[in-house]
Amino acid sequence: LNNEFGPYATMEDACLADLGGANSTTPSQEVMDMLPATTKTIYVDNLPIDVTKEELESLYSRCGPLASIDIYNLRPDLDPGELSESKRRELVKKNRKSGSKGATQYKTRRTPVYARIEFSTGEGYKVATMDMLQIFGMVIRRHAVRSIPARELTKVYIEGIPQGFYAIDIEEKLSKVLHPRIYASLKLGQHVNSRPRSCELTFPTFEVASFAYDQLKKVRFGEQEQPEIHWMRTPEDAEEYWKRNIIPEP
């Protein structure tokens, strides 16, 4: 990093800034204008594959007034629609985990769909990040949905990198869109000649990760289909969820 992120260059100073503590440096005005409202923002995971903004608004507005809602990883093009009751029972039976603990135990899974929710006030954020909602979550159509404070998210996932690009070339492309404020370095080791289809970048704070997230959406790999940038890693069985071959536990 260069020195334009001020107290948001380290987690310790960022947490101090959240509490209104004094810091020796401040972000440059250009960076400040792009920083997120960290202390008013949460992310929620394990959402239904057809969840809507209206549905989330009706639930989370109970915590406080909302400023915005963004939903990620929806794939309506793969969704066959609501399942019949017989098909649902069939899938429930199929998805159960067999073994010594009995057929009523289920595999722990997470859907690929998640959302970013920003509150208009800090009070709404405080209610949404109460321990109960962080640990046990809110149940939305049989989905246990956790509230994750934005401060805890410091990784960005780049998925669906087109085939044929060497790791060293990917590193160069990522660094180019982040320059001059951030330099991206992949842990290549002996894998300089590998051709990864995905990678993750770890940043010191959510503010830096959010700045990088916006810049990384500009990365281009020629005329091919471009990669997706996510705050949460897409699970390997995502397509099974999008096609409703996996359903939540009853």
Side-chain angles (χ1 to χ4, degrees):
L1 300 179
N2 63 19
N3 60 1
E4 291 188 58
F5 289 95
Y8 301 109
T10 69
M11 182 64 79
E12 182 178 358
D13 286 345
C15 290
L16 183 61
D18 287 349
L19 298 174
N23 292 277
S24 58
T25 60
T26 57
S28 67
Q29 187 58 51
E30 185 179 357
V31 169
M32 180 67 81
D33 291 341
M34 292 184 280
L35 291 181
T38 305
T39 56
K40 297 179 183 179
T41 303
I42 66 169
Y43 285 76
V44 291
D45 66 355
N46 197 38
L47 293 169
I49 63 164
D50 57 350
V51 70
T52 64
K53 288 186 178 182
E54 290 75 19
E55 187 173 9
L56 293 178
E57 181 178 8
S58 69
L59 293 169
Y60 285 91
S61 60
R62 301 173 188 176
C63 299
L66 304 177
S68 65
I69 296 176
D70 295 297
I71 302 175
Y72 304 91
N73 241 353
L74 290 171
R75 287 295 303 273
D77 55 311
L78 297 179
D79 186 0
E82 286 292 333
L83 301 176
S84 65
E85 189 57 34
S86 60
K87 180 64 174 178
R88 177 178 291 276
R89 287 196 299 267
E90 178 185 337
L91 287 176
V92 167
K93 184 177 180 180
K94 178 182 177 181
N95 293 336
R96 284 174 177 165
K97 181 180 180 181
S98 60
S100 59
K101 293 186 179 181
T104 57
Q105 182 176 338
Y106 294 86
K107 295 179 181 179
T108 301
R109 292 184 167 118
R110 174 178 65 82
T111 78
V113 181
Y114 64 99
R116 176 185 185 275
I117 300 175
E118 181 181 333
F119 291 89
S120 299
T121 66
E123 289 304 312
Y125 169 85
K126 290 179 182 178
V127 174
T129 54
M130 292 172 59
D131 287 347
M132 184 174 66
L133 289 178
Q134 288 192 59
I135 298 172
F136 300 106
M138 180 183 294
V139 178
I140 302 177
R141 285 193 270 147
R142 300 185 179 186
H143 293 70
V145 178
R146 294 182 304 132
S147 293
I148 305 170
R151 171 63 64 217
E152 296 182 8
L153 298 184
T154 58
K155 292 185 177 182
V156 173
Y157 299 92
I158 304 172
E159 302 174 340
I161 298 172
Q163 295 181 349
F165 287 90
Y166 289 103
I168 192 70
D169 297 324
I170 295 172
E171 180 181 89
E172 181 181 0
K173 285 183 176 293
L174 300 182
S175 292
K176 186 175 182 179
V177 298
L178 296 174
H179 181 80
R181 296 183 175 90
I182 301 172
Y183 175 76
S185 177
L186 302 182
K187 293 182 179 179
L188 302 179
Q190 302 298 316
H191 306 289
V192 174
N193 293 322
S194 64
R195 300 179 184 184
R197 299 299 310 280
S198 65
C199 64
E200 70 177 60
L201 299 179
T202 302
F203 300 93
T205 63
F206 175 70
E207 284 80 7
V208 178
S210 181
F211 176 86
Y213 175 90
D214 290 337
Q215 301 305 308
L216 288 168
K217 288 189 292 186
K218 303 174 185 177
V219 71
R220 292 293 178 265
F221 289 82
E223 299 300 321
Q224 304 181 56
E225 185 176 348
Q226 303 307 318
E228 294 186 358
I229 315 298
H230 284 293
W231 284 105
M232 296 184 183
R233 188 195 303 274
T234 301
E236 293 182 0
D237 55 0
E239 188 168 333
E240 294 299 293
Y241 274 106
W242 288 321
K243 292 182 176 180
R244 297 187 188 253
N245 290 330
I246 300 176
I247 60 174
E249 303 173 12

